[in-house]
Amino acid sequence: MEIIINAWHSLTGFWNWFLSQISTPAWDNYFYWLVSISLFVYALEIIIPWRKEQKLIRKDFFLDAFYMFFNYFFFYMIGFAAIAFLGEQFTLEISRNLGLGDLWFIKLNNLPTWLQLLIYFIIVDFTHFCVHVMLHKVPWLWSFHKVHHSVKEMGFAAHLRYHWMENVVYKSISYFPIAIIGGFNLEFVFIVHIIQTTIGHLNHANINLNYGPLKYLLNNPAMHIWHHSKELPEGKSGVNFGISLSVWDYLFKTNHIPHNGRDIDLGFEKVDTYPESFMGQLTEPFRKKKKS
């Protein structure tokens, strides 16, 4: 009961934080960072569009914009507070019962700040890569991830079109890298989140951006569009799973860029019959499917 009460206090505390984010601009304000990043990437879509025939107000532009703010705050920032707190309590309880004590296996205290940040970023990104692979390979997780892959025209806001259950999965698992790293600056969570948001927006944007040799390190639009391809290589449940870094795909042989993918069809089998409304997409994974 105490855990539930504390989780509720944490949740309501983050609701008050959310209201302050809107009303108080600051360098560590998530709301204004999201707006600034979105306007910047949207400007790039206008200046250097990759698919020139695609409208500036593309199909589902406003739906994705709603998803962007809904997921970024209500289920990312606010929901993460309760999930992280429960994850911490659960982990500590297991630790006490097993007599493990301190779970911090990686201690960053004595390292330079830039190296601490880099290590934290790499660990978090690899964790997200692994979760992303699971979302494609585990059928019940794929039923939720389909929401993200129902995008038919790529644009920056498509980055944050996903089912709220993905936040539960990602944030629950993402807690463990935090649990095993001791002595890192909590501001790293904010910094890494902003970096991931920027790269994610760019990956989904309709922009002609060439990273040169850095494409083997950083995820990019030309690579990520193949992740959304309707037609996948035979026997594959997905390709190009990298979130911010593409290096994981090259290391684990999940990379796939057969040619310029500017005009490929996006989605999945029977995507044309998938619900197009916000509520329809949120409820679709919970509907019972008729047996063929």
Side-chain angles (χ1 to χ4, degrees), residues 24-259:
T24 311
W27 77 269
D28 58 348
N29 188 307
Y30 281 99
F31 177 81
Y32 287 98
W33 268 106
L34 177 61
V35 170
S36 299
I37 293 169
S38 299
L39 291 176
F40 171 71
V41 178
Y42 190 39
L44 291 180
E45 287 189 338
I46 297 172
I47 298 169
I48 49 172
W50 194 16
R51 293 168 293 280
K52 299 183 184 300
E53 73 286 352
Q54 183 171 303
K55 297 179 180 179
L56 292 179
I57 305 297
R58 61 176 176 79
K59 178 179 175 60
D60 292 340
F61 178 92
F62 294 106
L63 173 65
D64 290 343
F66 179 79
Y67 263 113
M68 187 167 62
F69 287 96
F70 178 83
N71 282 323
Y72 200 89
F73 286 100
F74 289 97
F75 272 95
Y76 191 106
M77 301 312 307
I78 298 175
F80 178 65
I83 292 170
F85 178 83
L86 292 174
E88 179 183 13
Q89 296 297 311
F90 179 72
T91 304
L92 291 176
E93 188 65 28
I94 292 177
S95 175
R96 294 191 195 102
N97 291 336
L98 296 178
L100 297 177
D102 195 347
L103 288 179
W104 291 348
F105 302 119
I106 303 173
K107 295 189 177 182
L108 307 180
N109 307 61
N110 298 322
L111 297 177
T113 302
W114 68 268
L115 186 55
Q116 292 182 36
L117 177 60
L118 179 61
I119 292 173
Y120 175 75
F121 172 72
I122 291 173
I123 292 175
V124 170
D125 193 72
F126 179 65
T127 303
H128 288 177
F129 169 81
C130 294
V131 174
H132 197 184
V133 173
M134 288 171 52
L135 291 174
H136 281 260
K137 293 187 176 295
V138 179
W140 74 273
L141 290 178
W142 169 242
S143 68
F144 295 107
H145 194 49
K146 270 186 174 182
V147 171
H148 182 64
H149 281 266
S150 65
V151 173
K152 296 178 182 177
E153 291 184 335
M154 292 286 267
F156 73 92
H159 170 211
L160 297 178
R161 181 204 288 202
Y162 53 80
H163 198 281
W164 60 266
M165 271 296 294
E166 283 199 34
N167 265 329
V168 175
V169 175
Y170 266 111
K171 300 313 149 194
S172 298
I173 296 177
S174 294
Y175 169 74
F176 289 97
I178 298 175
I180 66 173
I181 301 174
F184 77 95
N185 192 326
L186 288 177
E187 289 184 356
F188 292 173
V189 177
F190 172 83
I191 295 171
V192 167
H193 187 49
I194 295 303
I195 292 172
Q196 289 179 324
T197 300
T198 304
I199 295 176
H201 268 40
L202 291 170
N203 290 341
H204 292 82
N206 178 28
I207 57 175
N208 185 14
L209 195 61
N210 187 349
Y211 291 175
L214 286 177
K215 67 182 181 181
Y216 297 108
L217 176 64
L218 294 174
N219 201 354
N220 54 85
M223 184 176 193
H224 193 69
I225 196 169
W226 283 100
H227 177 71
H228 283 263
S229 175
K230 190 174 183 178
E231 293 187 16
L232 295 172
E234 187 175 354
K236 298 282 188 180
S237 59
V239 295
N240 302 345
F241 296 105
I243 305 299
S244 296
L245 300 177
S246 61
V247 65
W248 311 122
D249 288 299
Y250 290 103
L251 286 175
F252 294 101
K253 308 299 182 184
T254 53
N255 59 296
H256 177 73
I257 311 178
H259 57 79

